[in-house]
Amino acid sequence: MNAPVSISAAQIRKANMGAHLRALISELTLADLIGDVRSPGHPDRLGNYQYTHNGRIFFSCDPRPDEVHIDDIAKHLSRNCRFGGATMSFMSVAEHCWHCSQVVPEHEALEALLHDAAEAYIGDMIRPLKTLPGLGDIYLKIESGIERAVAERFKLVYPWPASVKKADEFVVGAEVAQNIRSKVTNHLSDDIDARDAGLKSDLRFYYWGDELAEVFFLQRFYELARKREIA
């Protein structure tokens, strides 16, 4: 008979460290996590500010709806490449969002168009890192704060509707199939059948350069915003 396996308390703690860290971070605010970090000249704001393309400043750790501007979002997303630049052809986050807005039901298209708006300010953390306890959880906490500010600014439904999340995964799967050289199974994306998810399944990418991506992103935004009477 084999001897019983002995597991030390240290091994148990190590095994559960990720779960403990994730639970701890979820209970803390950003102020708890980053301490009393303030921007020079802005003692009332949490964290340091960053510049936007159009000459503004933005506080990613202390976002406010009135400081969210669609021209900044469109410019930055049009210049950010999907998958950290690992694509065969350049594809911007702006085009990704445009496609997401095309496959969801019309009444949720604006949420789909802006679901990655936070990446205009903090970039995109690739999924293998975003899913790590600790590192990814802090990024997601900052991201969700910006998303809430974006949603409030443009009167969006937040948290994002289920159809938006399904559309995002569906478009990700198509991007991997059509624009990623490696054909290793895309284990980070749910296997979503467009018909079962209620999505429009005809998906063709255009690989717009940044200037065209910005134009089409803004056109889509104003088209949808007019229907909702959003200024």
Side-chain angles (χ1 to χ4, degrees), residues 28-40 42-50 58-64 67 141-142:
L28 298 175
T29 66
L30 271 178
D32 294 326
L33 289 167
I34 69 175
D36 193 31
V37 175
R38 304 284 167 171
S39 294
H42 299 272
D44 61 322
R45 305 298 297 270
L46 181 66
N48 288 310
Y49 62 79
Q50 63 194 88
F58 187 82
F59 295 82
S60 56
C61 291
D62 189 7
R64 296 179 182 177
E67 296 173 350
K141 190 177 285 286
I142 296 171

Side-chain angles (χ1 to χ4, degrees), residues 1-16:
M1 179 181 296
N2 294 331
V5 177
S6 176
I7 302 176
S8 69
Q11 288 173 308
I12 294 174
R13 284 196 296 271
K14 183 177 181 180
N16 293 328

Side-chain angles (χ1 to χ4, degrees), residues 142-194:
I142 296 171
E143 179 186 63
S144 65
I146 299 173
E147 288 177 344
R148 284 192 293 271
V150 170
E152 184 175 341
R153 168 65 182 85
F154 299 116
K155 300 179 176 62
L156 307 176
V157 175
Y158 189 81
W160 306 130
S163 71
V164 172
K165 296 178 181 179
K166 290 178 180 178
D168 184 33
E169 294 300 328
F170 172 62
V171 175
V172 167
E175 289 169 345
V176 170
Q178 298 179 38
N179 200 23
I180 296 295
R181 194 176 306 280
S182 174
K183 296 308 175 187
V184 175
T185 302
N186 181 24
H187 65 283
L188 294 172
S189 178
D190 294 332
D191 184 13
I192 292 178
D193 184 285

Side-chain angles (χ1 to χ4, degrees), residues 37 43 103 105 119 124 143 168 173 182 189-190 202 213 220 224 226:
V37 175
V103 299
E119 294 180 18
D124 183 23
E143 179 186 63
D168 184 33
S182 174
S189 178
D190 294 332
D202 51 333
R220 183 66 169 152
L224 297 170
R226 279 194 299 271

Side-chain angles (χ1 to χ4, degrees), residues 16-83:
N16 293 328
M17 185 177 297
H20 290 326
L21 183 58
R22 179 160 285 161
L24 176 63
I25 291 173
S26 69
E27 295 176 0
L28 298 175
T29 66
L30 271 178
D32 294 326
L33 289 167
I34 69 175
D36 193 31
V37 175
R38 304 284 167 171
S39 294
H42 299 272
D44 61 322
R45 305 298 297 270
L46 181 66
N48 288 310
Y49 62 79
Q50 63 194 88
Y51 299 109
T52 74
H53 173 82
N54 291 299
R56 305 179 180 101
I57 59 173
F58 187 82
F59 295 82
S60 56
C61 291
D62 189 7
R64 296 179 182 177
D66 63 334
E67 296 173 350
V68 171
H69 298 275
I70 194 62
D71 57 342
D72 286 328
I73 293 171
K75 176 65 74 175
H76 296 188
L77 292 187
S78 70
R79 292 181 169 182
N80 290 350
C81 187
R82 295 284 291 157
F83 297 93

